[in-house]
Amino acid sequence: NLTHAWLNWAWFRGAKLDGADFTNAKMIGAQLQGADLSKVIGLTSRQVQNACGDSQTKLPPGVERPWCPF
């Protein structure tokens, strides 16, 4: 359960987090390259808009993949 967690700058590279609840989690700068978040709960595009992702990042339907600015 990651509800309301402060995950700014966390590294999730290659992680698989099936069933984790990300409702209202803060994710500024989180590293999501290669992470499989396709089956998490409560994740929104707004939460990940300032995170880093790549073409291997998997997100739930309707959540837009963030791109790393550097």
Side-chain angles (χ1 to χ4, degrees):
N1 183 356
L2 299 170
T3 302
H4 299 286
W6 185 270
L7 302 171
N8 293 350
W9 305 104
W11 287 70
F12 291 102
R13 288 184 183 201
K16 185 172 181 175
L17 297 163
D18 291 358
D21 189 345
F22 278 82
T23 302
N24 295 316
K26 307 293 184 215
M27 300 182 70
I28 296 169
Q31 302 297 307
L32 306 175
Q33 294 91 335
D36 184 351
L37 304 173
S38 62
K39 296 180 183 173
V40 303
I41 301 163
L43 189 66
T44 67
S45 294
R46 185 170 183 188
Q47 286 173 278
V48 299
Q49 71 185 3
N50 292 310
C52 259
D54 65 9
S55 62
Q56 301 302 309
T57 303
K58 296 178 184 174
L59 298 169
V63 177
E64 292 182 40
R65 182 183 309 123
W67 293 101
C68 197
F70 39 82

